[in-house]
Amino acid sequence: MAKKTQQVQLLTLRIAFLFGLKLVILVTIGLCVCALYRLHYAQETLGGSSTVPPRSPRSRPLVQDIEGPPKIAFLFLVRRILPLDFLWGIFFENADSANFSIYIHSEPGFVFDESTCRSSFFYGRQLSNSIKVEWGESSMIEAERLLLEAAIEDPANQRFILLSDSCVPLYNFSYIYNYVMASPRSFVDSFLDAKEKRYNPKMSPVIPKEKWRKGSQWVTLIRKHAEVIVDDEVVFPVFKKVCKKLKQHDCISDEHYMQTILAMSNVEGELERRTLTYTEWNQSVTKMERSWHPVTFTHASVGPQRVNGIKGISHVYYETEFRTEWCRVNSTSAPCFLFARKFSEGAAMRLLSDRVFGFFDA
């Protein structure tokens, strides 16, 4: 009887052991599956794929809440003052105030008022959370993101035009408004950076090399694309960490950030891949001597003939892609440029005196 009881106990222990072993195996398999899923999700979040991972948009006013006409947000990225405020003041005087808004990023603490500005359109339009900006550093694109973030808070802002303190408009407000609003696309100068070695392998895998783009920082965005940039929490930190001025693979963040994130977001098919702001580069010197800074237009070098030449440009050629971008709006031929830079105060005053802008025939 005792022997039979002992056999039953051994059988019970064996069954319990086998059950425990199966349970351990099942738990182990479950943990492995969970770990693989988390690893896959982490790779997606870090850019294991070639697209920016989707995320919930920030809480902001709904576009349906718009009262009145859609507006253009003019975003001025300036060092301190706005030296061409007198010219822009005349430009905005010939516009309906319901059709535009103004935002300025200047040095921290600087205020636009009667003592610092010659046009009331800019009074109090500076950002309160501005930062110190250094050329070529990620602080430049951080300031651009701050401007977009402020402008997006107004649901009536449907187009966002980034401008420098040396930009001038080439047409009156009504022409520019109709041109920009007529297109459902953003205007972003964007092309493959095949020659310069600015891509840093340390950006991988967050920023794949095949999505690396270059172009002018002076963009015009539709609201959807502005939100992509403002909501970005993946690509910008990489630029901030990796792109350092005068280092190997000097990125020049402002010439790559917006182009690259829009490429990674798979919206390049929604872009006119050209800028609306004309810049003239010095082509008379050798490549080794060429400056990274554009030509400055002065009182002596600008006039009706020069400006009309810029306004008459109908296409842009991209050498690295063997691509000619014919300038159109909704399949209709249009001038390539609505703005130009870099203009000195003397050049702006001459343009007004020569009445070449067409401000007065709005």
Side-chain angles (χ1 to χ4, degrees):
M1 185 70 179
K3 185 175 181 181
K4 187 174 182 179
T5 301
Q6 187 177 11
Q7 288 177 341
V8 170
Q9 290 175 342
L10 288 173
L11 181 61
T12 302
L13 288 173
R14 182 176 296 177
I15 292 172
F17 173 77
L18 291 174
F19 177 78
L21 182 61
K22 289 180 179 179
L23 183 62
V24 169
I25 292 173
L26 288 173
V27 171
T28 302
I29 292 173
L31 290 173
C32 289
V33 171
C34 184
L36 287 171
Y37 173 79
R38 293 183 65 182
L39 178 61
H40 175 74
Y41 177 80
Q43 288 177 336
E44 290 292 321
T45 302
L46 290 174
S49 68
S50 59
T51 61
V52 177
R55 61 184 300 274
S56 300
R58 301 179 185 182
S59 176
R60 56 175 61 99
L62 298 176
V63 175
Q64 298 93 295
D65 297 335
I66 294 178
E67 293 183 4
K71 296 193 293 187
I72 294 177
F74 290 83
L75 314 178
F76 290 90
L77 183 61
V78 307
R79 296 173 179 83
R80 182 177 170 84
I81 64 170
L82 188 58
L84 307 185
D85 52 7
F86 62 95
L87 183 148
W88 282 100
I90 296 174
F91 173 79
F92 289 121
E93 280 179 5
N94 288 277
D96 186 338
S97 60
N99 290 334
F100 69 90
S101 53
I102 297 171
Y103 302 84
I104 308 172
H105 185 286
S106 183
E107 69 175 29
F110 188 81
V111 176
F112 282 79
D113 56 24
E114 301 85 357
S115 64
T116 60
C117 184
R118 291 167 287 190
S119 173
S120 60
F121 286 105
F122 302 104
Y123 292 173
R125 301 312 305 162
Q126 72 282 345
L127 301 188
S128 60
N129 60 341
S130 62
I131 61 171
K132 184 176 177 56
V133 174
E134 292 189 33
W135 180 85
E137 295 282 1
S138 61
S139 56
M140 180 77 80
I141 56 177
E142 186 172 358
E144 295 170 0
R145 281 162 50 91
L146 288 172
L147 281 166
L148 287 169
E149 184 175 28
I152 277 178
E153 290 304 308
D154 182 350
N157 289 330
Q158 293 297 300
R159 299 293 186 273
F160 305 81
I161 300 177
L162 185 63
L163 300 160
S164 76
D165 53 10
S166 66
C167 282
V168 298
L170 298 175
Y171 299 89
N172 61 43
F173 181 89
S174 61
Y175 183 87
I176 291 176
Y177 182 88
N178 292 330
Y179 186 116
V180 173
M181 288 297 183
S183 176
R185 296 170 174 261
S186 292
F187 295 86
V188 180
D189 186 46
S190 178
F191 54 91
L192 297 174
D193 184 21
K195 292 185 176 180
E196 297 184 72
K197 298 179 180 179
R198 293 186 181 179
Y199 178 81
N200 192 325
K202 292 181 180 179
M203 295 177 176
S204 179
V206 180
I207 303 175
K209 188 173 183 179
E210 65 270 16
K211 295 293 185 178
W212 183 249
R213 299 288 187 271
K214 182 182 178 183
S216 168
Q217 75 182 104
W218 311 112
V219 300
T220 297
L221 301 175
I222 61 173
R223 189 174 181 90
K224 173 186 174 181
H225 299 156
E227 289 177 349
V228 168
I229 292 164
V230 170
D231 291 340
D232 170 37
E233 294 179 350
V234 176
V235 180
F236 175 68
V238 177
F239 272 84
K240 193 170 184 178
K241 179 180 179 181
V242 177
C243 291
K244 304 294 182 182
K245 188 169 60 176
L246 302 180
K247 299 288 185 180
Q248 185 184 19
H249 302 291
D250 186 0
C251 299
I252 314 296
S253 299
D254 52 273
E255 294 184 0
H256 295 275
Y257 171 68
M258 290 195 188
Q259 290 78 7
T260 298
I261 188 174
L262 292 175
M264 291 178 62
S265 300
N266 293 327
V267 297
E268 283 189 302
E270 301 172 8
L271 308 178
E272 293 286 351
R273 292 175 60 193
R274 60 184 177 90
T275 180
L276 296 179
T277 301
Y278 176 81
T279 302
E280 184 166 309
W281 301 93
N282 190 347
Q283 303 295 332
S284 63
V285 295
T286 65
K287 185 175 181 180
M288 294 298 294
E289 297 173 333
R290 192 166 299 162
S291 171
W292 282 349
H293 299 284
V295 171
T296 297
F297 291 99
T298 64
H299 185 279
S301 64
V302 71
Q305 185 175 359
R306 187 71 191 91
V307 173
N308 288 332
I310 297 172
K311 293 167 72 172
I313 296 173
S314 61
H315 63 278
V316 181
Y317 179 68
Y318 291 90
E319 182 180 354
T320 61
E321 297 179 340
F322 305 103
R323 170 171 61 96
T324 298
E325 192 76 16
W326 292 92
C327 301
R328 297 182 175 87
V329 176
N330 292 339
S331 301
T332 301
S333 297
C336 289
F337 302 108
L338 301 181
F339 309 93
R341 59 186 296 268
K342 299 177 67 172
F343 278 66
S344 66
E345 288 189 65
M349 293 181 70
R350 180 178 177 184
L351 293 174
L352 284 178
S353 64
D354 289 346
R355 302 169 72 90
V356 299
F357 281 108
F359 289 177
F360 309 100
D361 57 358

